[in-house]
Amino acid sequence: MASINFYLDKADKKGLSPIHLRINCSNKQVKISTGEKVSNDNFDKEKQRVCDEVENSNSINHYLQYLYDRTDELINNSTKKKFDTSELKQFLGEFIDSYKTNHQVKIVDKESPKGESFTFIDLFAGAGGFSEGFLQADVKNKYFDFLLANDINENCELTHVVRYNHQLGMDAEFICQDITEPDFLENLLSKLNNNSVDVVCGGPPCQSFSLAGKRKKFDKKDDLFSHYLQVIKILQPKYFVMENVKGILTKEKGRIKDLIIEEINSIVDINKIDQLSKFLLSLNKKSNSYQLDFINRRIELEKYENDKIKYSEKRIDYIRVVENLFKKLTSEGVDYQISKTNVDINTIRHGLNLLGRSKEWDKLKRDIIKEKDYCNIDNDHFVGMFHDFLNELNTDHIISKIEHSFNHLKVPKNLFKLKSNILEALKIYTYSFDDCIKTIESLCSKKEFESFNKIIDDLRLYKIEKPFVANSSDYGVPQNRERVLFIGCRKDQKFISEIAPTVKEKDKVTVFEALYDLDFLKNNEEAHSYKKIDNKKSLNGSFLKLENLIEKRSIDGKKLNNKGKTFAEWSKEGRLHSRFNKSKGFYVRNFEDLKNENKVYDVLSNHKTSNQNEKVIKRLDVIRKSGNYESAKIKLEKLGLSSKKRNYNVLDPYKQSPTVLTIPDDYIHYNSPRSLTVREMARLQSFDDSFIFQGKRSTGGNNRKSEVPQYTLVGNAVPPLMARAVANEILKNIK
């Protein structure tokens, strides 16, 4: 066994002695400077640590322990038994250089990059896949500046802060808050500090959308899409990008997709609403229609979307007009005594009160849904009670009860028209902007329709025809991950209908290209630096065939013969533009470690295999050799290795991986009976190796609902190279 300790070298003029790491083995000694200094009085020789009195002692001692652990791991806990001094110094020097680089005070000239910059924000950001891709983008000296990201989980924020603020030296903000919170927009505008936003990107979950109420009702995710669009309405970016799962296109026979397009088309240029109002007034002079009057009132609400207080006041005003009509009806057609005691009249009257207090009820609903989710209320005897109560507060449900009560009322014939107008007004109250447009169209003559169409074309703020399916493997990602992209283009910008592939079908990046240089781990092992591997030995007869897969490529995956870099080289060196003054990345467990400078400066991070028992390893080996789970099931049963898991994906080194998800056990490495490391999954997603995923490595059970560990950060991310392709297309067209 080798002994490892720290000692102080000769003091300098200031009385500070360099701390050296010393390795003694077989009468040989290796000394390496740690880069830290301390006075003799402030070093505890027995504990081999800096005394507490020293500023940043916690950080320095954490670093010394880290160096000790890496040295012990290399010398005393590895299969290798012979080391030369230069090898030891080189190995430990990489870690020491990373530490010193991050702890040296640097003053740099703040030079603005040449070219034209455009701003973006990333909502539902997760790890930051969209952010990475947008920062990599560069077209004819046009590039993106990162203003702000948002997500609800602390580990998303931690990963963001370490990557963008510490490692890249940016001042991008992060809002760790639920987008449905009443003060989210206020906080967003405050953080943006009057900066205009050119592009908004994000992937609000729309899976829970349903027109027929078949979904799990009143899930917090139900309303995230509409809140995302609310941000778009207020910021009015030149472009916005919304990513979602492919299933959204066929959900409820495509009606959900149509609803999303309709909602996007309902975003209007509030400065042009007066034109439509004037048109409606001229139309109404001819027909004197209550319907047009209330449609005009409903459309007028759009003008106040950016002012929550004013918007709420205008909604109340709308209901007050309806109340006045109802008062007229009851005063003229219902006996006074009956109007005070009749259950139908009270239902109508109180229902209008509920609608007039929608702001207060919306807040209450949000709080109840949040508490329901926190307590995991679902598939139990409580859930029906919650759903019934929340359903009672829905605007549509309140109005349906009002309509039901109206149908029970005995209204005199001379007041039928008034009753009809009240019901029509309530129906219009629930209209989307597009519903209003369709109704107006039906009331226009042929000549009026032409004028109306010109006004609407001018009024709609965004152009979008339909979403399109993008496969990440078309953009240099070694993964078949199909996602739907909605790209909204502001009317003053060039229309974008799709993102052209950057890689031909026959030239796509393979799993082997992405992972071959990381294939030096076995079960329950962790690597902190890259290692040379003998692929010829480990791959046996497959080596020559697999080696031919490794291609020189551009960043976005195009084959360049001998000019470019391999996918693995791009991953190691990084794809970010040279304008970034990058420092070495580091890992921390949480914000407390970040505050206390308890940072881990590994050369290679997030590369650890799971500790799987012998039975699991045998099962994985049978499945791997069979090629897929289905083919292996009979043999697994015979060997007593059956599993209740629904699926295992054996990676094919010659092809692209299937969609990367959040659970590592879903995948089996092509060359070893093991699951993938976080770093390997990140490679399949096209994250650079310098992008370090923070916090817990994994979690399980109910914790998956609230925690976002490293595997979840990776699996939920937008592949950066796909995001880069989107960003480049926007840069080509943005004005």
Side-chain angles (χ1 to χ4, degrees), residues 5-8 17-20 37-54 60-61 64:
N5 61 8
F6 295 96
Y7 74 97
L8 298 186
S17 301
I19 304 174
H20 280 50
K37 292 181 179 181
V38 69
S39 68
N40 278 300
D41 295 340
N42 284 321
F43 189 76
D44 188 322
K45 292 179 182 177
E46 187 178 334
K47 292 182 179 178
Q48 297 273 289
R49 293 296 179 266
V50 172
C51 298
D52 292 343
E53 291 78 16
V54 175
I60 296 170
N61 287 332
L64 296 181

Side-chain angles (χ1 to χ4, degrees), residues 95-263:
F95 299 118
I96 292 167
D97 286 346
S98 294
Y99 176 82
K100 286 161 74 174
T101 300
N102 278 274
H103 283 76
Q104 288 168 347
V105 177
K106 289 174 281 194
I107 297 175
V108 296
D109 291 327
K110 182 77 173 177
E111 289 185 20
S112 297
K114 293 177 181 177
E116 188 178 8
S117 69
F118 296 90
T119 58
F120 79 96
I121 67 171
D122 188 357
L123 303 179
F124 307 95
F130 259 131
S131 305
E132 280 291 298
F134 269 69
L135 290 174
Q136 290 174 15
D138 185 85
V139 175
K140 294 180 180 177
N141 285 327
K142 292 198 287 188
Y143 60 92
F144 281 109
D145 273 338
F146 189 12
L147 295 181
L148 176 146
N150 147 258
D151 210 291
I152 60 171
N153 188 271
E154 189 178 86
N155 201 36
C156 297
E157 180 179 15
L158 180 63
T159 299
H160 167 99
V161 167
V162 171
R163 174 64 169 173
Y164 300 111
N165 299 99
H166 287 261
Q167 190 181 357
L168 300 185
M170 302 176 71
D171 55 2
E173 296 280 0
F174 195 97
I175 301 179
C176 193
Q177 185 183 14
D178 190 331
I179 195 172
T180 66
E181 293 288 337
D183 62 344
F184 175 82
L185 283 168
E186 187 181 328
N187 291 338
L188 174 67
L189 294 172
S190 173
K191 292 276 188 184
L192 288 173
N193 195 27
N194 294 322
N195 282 306
S196 63
V197 177
D198 293 313
V199 180
V200 175
C201 55
C206 305
Q207 295 93 307
S208 55
F209 270 26
S210 175
L211 299 175
K214 293 174 187 172
R215 73 188 187 284
K216 175 180 157 187
K217 288 185 181 179
F218 304 114
D219 190 301
K220 263 171 55 174
K221 292 180 181 178
D222 286 350
D223 211 20
L224 295 177
F225 165 71
S226 61
H227 282 84
Y228 178 83
L229 283 195
Q230 193 62 33
V231 173
I232 303 302
K233 287 177 184 179
I234 286 177
L235 297 182
Q236 298 189 1
K238 293 172 179 174
Y239 292 92
F240 68 87
V241 185
M242 196 172 77
E243 175 255 8
N244 217 283
V245 294
K246 189 181 176 183
I248 203 74
L249 295 180
T250 53
K251 188 172 174 62
E252 300 203 14
K253 297 180 180 178
R255 288 183 294 166
I256 298 302
K257 172 207 66 179
D258 294 340
L259 174 64
I260 292 169
I261 294 290
E262 183 181 306
E263 289 291 322

Side-chain angles (χ1 to χ4, degrees), residues 284-344:
N284 205 16
K285 278 178 185 176
K286 184 186 72 174
S287 60
N288 193 24
S289 162
Y290 262 105
Q291 190 180 27
L292 280 173
D293 180 50
F294 276 104
I295 285 174
N296 200 10
R297 289 177 186 275
R298 168 63 191 87
I299 287 171
E300 283 277 318
L301 287 174
E302 301 290 328
K303 285 165 63 172
Y304 305 102
E305 283 277 8
N306 293 2
D307 187 334
K308 283 195 297 185
I309 295 172
K310 204 80 172 166
Y311 182 72
S312 181
E313 288 173 355
K314 291 295 178 182
R315 285 179 70 183
I316 292 168
D317 288 346
Y318 188 108
I319 296 300
R320 292 289 176 261
V321 173
V322 180
E323 280 183 332
N324 289 334
L325 291 176
F326 181 61
K327 284 176 183 175
K328 183 180 179 184
L329 185 146
T330 53
S331 65
E332 294 181 16
V334 182
D335 179 82
Y336 178 77
Q337 275 308 115
I338 294 175
S339 77
K340 290 293 182 184
T341 57
N342 183 278
V343 67
D344 290 313

Side-chain angles (χ1 to χ4, degrees), residues 557-568:
K558 286 191 194 80
K559 283 172 67 171
L560 295 176
N561 297 322
N562 296 318
K563 292 180 184 177
K565 299 172 187 172
T566 67
F567 183 90

